[in-house]
Amino acid sequence: MSPKRIDRTERRRVILRAATEVFAARGYRAATMEEIAAAAGVAKGTLYLYFPSKEALFFALFERFADDAMAEGGADSETTNAVDAVAALLLQIAARIDADTVLVPLTLEFWSVAGVAETRDRFGARYGQMLDMFRGQITAMLRAGQRRGEVKEKLPLQPLASTLLGVIDGLIVQRWVDTELSVADTLREALPALMAGMRSGPGDARPAA
Amino acid sequence: MSPKRIDRTERRRVILRAATEVFAARGYRAATMEEIAAAAGVAKGTLYLYFPSKEALFFALFERFADDAMAEGGADSETTNAVDAVAALLLQIAARIDADTVLVPLTLEFWSVAGVAETRDRFGARYGQMLDMFRGQITAMLRAGQRRGEVKEKLPLQPLASTLLGVIDGLIVQRWVDTELSVADTLREALPALMAGMRSGPGDARPAA
Amino acid sequence: MSPKRIDRTERRRVILRAATEVFAARGYRAATMEEIAAAAGVAKGTLYLYFPSKEALFFALFERFADDAMAEGGADSETTNAVDAVAALLLQIAARIDADTVLVPLTLEFWSVAGVAETRDRFGARYGQMLDMFRGQITAMLRAGQRRGEVKEKLPLQPLASTLLGVIDGLIVQRWVDTELSVADTLREALPALMAGMRSGPGDARPAA
Amino acid sequence: MSPKRIDRTERRRVILRAATEVFAARGYRAATMEEIAAAAGVAKGTLYLYFPSKEALFFALFERFADDAMAEGGADSETTNAVDAVAALLLQIAARIDADTVLVPLTLEFWSVAGVAETRDRFGARYGQMLDMFRGQITAMLRAGQRRGEVKEKLPLQPLASTLLGVIDGLIVQRWVDTELSVADTLREALPALMAGMRSGPGDARPAA
DNA sequence: CATGAATGAGGTTTCATTCAT
DNA sequence: AATGAATGAAACCTCATTCAT
């Protein structure tokens, strides 16, 4: 019924998609608004009708990225063994990274832009939020596991969660330099050995019911 | 006949030091040669007497960084238990990261620059070299441990090495957003639990006793 | 939907005109894009919307100059005596030089830029093309004159054409140092004496009569 | 007897020779003092002990060039036929141009630099001096020829001299675009035909004795 | 005398942003 | 709403000139 049949939400999405490609391929600074506009099939000026500045556009991208990542959470932490559930969460994230080729360079780019003094606050806060959420989730899963006697007591849950989560980012870095490497495959092989020590063995089982 | 007495090596070092600060604080693209010159206490033109271009300067920085990191190796892998030795190597790297505040943003910046199409080859190759060296070293240490019966047989050594090494980079990312976080402290707490599963337990011990 | 209405061709012309002035007055290297922009009444960046580089702008100028010069040809070579026709062609070129004051310094500048190693190929080839065309035209006119019995047989047509054409460039140089000198006037006076020897005299006339 | 066995005059010559090569190959603006110093086998600073500036060095080169050219004059204008003597003078200059490969680009460069507003006065005046000298010489030779009855009366001597001299410069231009072309050969072939019309024929001979 | 390291003004080019249409 | 021409602030890099040794 609107005179012009233009769906602002849809066009915004198109622009964000184009920006994703361009930022991933060229980096934040090297990417030009011209390139993004061309990739989105709109004129340069149009970008400014949807995002007030280049930085805002990049930040919007980042937010969508963070939202998506955080939606990933909420797994079946109750049904399975806690250690397996944590592994499953990590593998799920890893699979998404392997599947979407722009995620690796784009993640690198987020880190870099966020490291720059001017943008540190905006980006850093948001990224920290995301990290906290994941760390919290992992910690909670492990704590639940401890309550159920699946996970050893006396484990430094916070540092463990940080480290486990870090594994993902660490493999992202290795993936950009070695495009053959599969984050998910690597994790699938390595996690069992790494997490074995967290399971409560026969000796330290709860006195049980 | 006697030209001005200048220690070119020393001056080069001063410039590299200044570049380290500026690149870390502002990022590669945002950093200007003017800023670097000012930080080094020389004129803009002088930078070009030591490095032919901005990119060359950044790459030189990266090389020195890679050299330093690789010199880190050669630990006491023979004397101690292999698992402990690997942990010690990681902790040593972690300590260096905690000690030098510019290392975190600079590392992020390396990743980002290397991810950009134009520079990917130059930087990526060098970074891959460094990663390979570390992965190789960790793999070798674990394999030696297997021979000595300290490390479980049937472990996927390559993926494990990648993952363990990745832990460092993953924590660097977290450290950048949470400057309170100590990479070394986190690792010191988390590693025992993560690596416990790699040690050969009583059950799978060598015939021995 | 209706973008700003701009006559790109006209604006291109304005820029070329401004560039002509500035390059003529200051020389290729000394001329700055800033100056050219100011002379054209546009901003520096605008120049780059029409020409990708300073060199391209200069080359475009050169091409237009060459095109104009070559369009000059096609005189009334059939109706008049061949020797007179050649003289008329030279005088026509000369008149254009006298009329347009920037042509002298600009021509000097073309020569100079074309002489420099880096640009020799691009500019040299184009200039050679123009020279060849003029030499060919003069040669053809004289040959036709020979067929009609107006021009002496046994003349070295190629060298003569080169030399006659060279007279123009030689006078351009003199005009540059002596702005009073009129290329056309000088030629009008000198050519009859110089070309008299090319006309077939009574002695070497065709059997005819 | 002097403590240092350095002949300033000789070193000046060496620098000028090096400058000749570099200016010819790269043009005035593109040539750097660094390159000239390297070509001369001295340090950059040393150039400034002999010439106060780049422009002064180029001008010195130009002056030497002009001096050499003017020394060329004073031929055997008395002994031979005046028309032949003029032709001989032009051929002599042409031969020198063919022999010395740097003369062509260097001449072009002189013209160009002299065309630039800032240097016009210095260079232009000197160049005009040189041209005047040659024109004067040719005019004088022809006038003497008229007195001796070798040259037609009623000839526009000034324009003729300008044009004949111009032929040289015109062929220099053609030579840079066509390095095969020999200025001397071209002139040797073309001049007889061009100058034939200046000789007093049987009909217009002086009543004479 | 000679050197060559250092300087910094100045040049070309890029590109985020604005705004008339 | 959309366009894309125009702007002009920066940025990288060059190089003539100076001057401490």
Side-chain angles (χ1 to χ4, degrees), chain D residues 62-208:
Chain D
F62 178 45
E63 292 229 284
R64 211 191 49 145
F65 168 85
D67 287 347
D68 285 2
M70 288 173 71
E72 212 81 17
D76 46 355
S77 44
E78 293 306 318
T79 57
T80 36
N81 176 288
V83 173
D84 294 335
V86 169
L89 173 64
L90 296 178
L91 282 170
Q92 185 185 346
I93 300 175
R96 220 168 69 86
I97 291 164
D98 282 343
D100 193 347
T101 56
V102 299
L103 239 42
V104 167
L106 207 56
T107 302
L108 258 35
E109 206 51 38
F110 284 147
W111 294 343
S112 161
V113 169
V116 169
E118 281 94 39
T119 44
R120 177 179 214 106
D121 293 341
R122 285 185 66 183
F123 286 81
R126 190 79 176 85
Y127 200 89
Q129 215 174 54
M130 194 175 76
L131 284 180
D132 278 346
M133 178 276 205
F134 276 117
R135 276 188 300 232
Q137 190 172 4
I138 293 175
T139 308
M141 288 162 94
L142 291 178
R143 208 187 316 276
Q146 286 180 324
R147 276 196 304 271
R148 292 200 302 270
E150 300 156 8
V151 176
K152 273 207 184 89
E153 301 289 338
K154 299 284 182 179
L155 283 183
L157 292 192
Q158 272 290 337
L160 264 180
S162 286
T163 306
L164 286 171
L165 187 57
V167 156
I168 296 280
D169 290 337
L171 287 174
I172 286 179
V173 174
Q174 292 180 45
R175 155 110 210 210
W176 77 240
V177 72
D178 174 8
T179 35
E180 302 294 296
L181 181 142
S182 158
V183 176
D185 289 351
T186 303
L187 270 190
R188 201 175 350 261
E189 296 201 70
L191 279 186
L194 286 177
M195 299 188 75
M198 299 165 62
R199 296 177 197 271
S200 54
D204 45 25
R206 286 271 189 100

Side-chain angles (χ1 to χ4, degrees), chain D residues 6 8 11 43-46 50:
Chain D
I6 285 144
R8 282 190 63 88
R11 180 155 281 194
K44 219 184 331 177
T46 306
Y50 291 84

Side-chain angles (χ1 to χ4, degrees), chain C residues 90-167:
Chain C
L90 296 178
L91 282 170
Q92 185 184 348
I93 302 174
R96 222 169 67 86
I97 293 165
D98 282 342
D100 194 346
T101 54
V102 298
L103 239 41
V104 167
L106 207 56
T107 302
L108 259 36
E109 206 49 39
F110 285 147
W111 294 343
S112 161
V113 169
V116 168
E118 282 94 39
T119 43
R120 176 175 218 109
D121 291 342
R122 286 186 63 183
F123 287 83
R126 191 80 176 82
Y127 202 88
Q129 214 174 51
M130 195 174 79
L131 284 180
D132 278 345
M133 177 275 198
F134 276 118
R135 276 188 299 230
Q137 191 173 3
I138 293 176
T139 308
M141 288 162 94
L142 292 178
R143 208 186 318 276
Q146 286 180 326
R147 276 197 303 273
R148 292 198 302 268
E150 302 158 8
V151 176
K152 271 207 186 89
E153 303 288 337
K154 299 284 178 179
L155 283 182
L157 293 191
Q158 273 290 336
L160 265 179
S162 287
T163 306
L164 286 171
L165 189 56
V167 157

Side-chain angles (χ1 to χ4, degrees), chain B residues 40-90:
Chain B
V42 300
K44 212 181 342 168
T46 305
L47 299 183
Y48 289 87
L49 296 178
Y50 292 85
F51 302 94
S53 69
K54 185 184 178 185
E55 196 200 300
L57 171 55
F58 187 65
F59 191 64
L61 204 66
F62 179 43
E63 291 232 285
R64 213 187 49 140
F65 168 84
D67 287 346
D68 284 4
M70 288 173 69
E72 213 79 16
D76 46 355
S77 43
E78 293 306 317
T79 56
T80 36
N81 176 288
V83 173
D84 294 336
V86 169
L89 174 62
L90 296 178

Side-chain angles (χ1 to χ4, degrees), chain A residues 120-141:
Chain A
R120 178 180 214 105
D121 294 341
R122 287 185 65 182
F123 285 83
R126 191 78 177 84
Y127 201 89
Q129 216 173 55
M130 193 174 76
L131 284 180
D132 277 346
M133 177 276 203
F134 276 116
R135 276 188 300 230
Q137 189 172 4
I138 293 175
T139 308
M141 288 161 95

Side-chain angles (χ1 to χ4, degrees), chain C residues 21-22 27-28 36 44 47-48 53 55 65 78 84 86 89 98 135 153 157-158 186 208:
Chain C
E21 303 291 343
V22 176
Y28 175 68
I36 295 170
K44 216 180 341 170
L47 299 182
Y48 288 87
S53 69
E55 196 199 301
F65 168 85
E78 293 306 318
D84 294 335
V86 170
L89 174 63
D98 282 342
R135 276 188 299 230
E153 303 288 337
L157 293 191
Q158 273 290 336
T186 303

Side-chain angles (χ1 to χ4, degrees), chain C residues 1 3-4 6 8 11 29 42-46 49-50:
Chain C
M1 280 299 161
K4 216 173 290 184
I6 287 292
R8 285 187 63 87
R11 177 142 292 191
R29 292 288 287 232
V42 300
K44 216 180 341 170
T46 305
L49 296 178
Y50 292 84

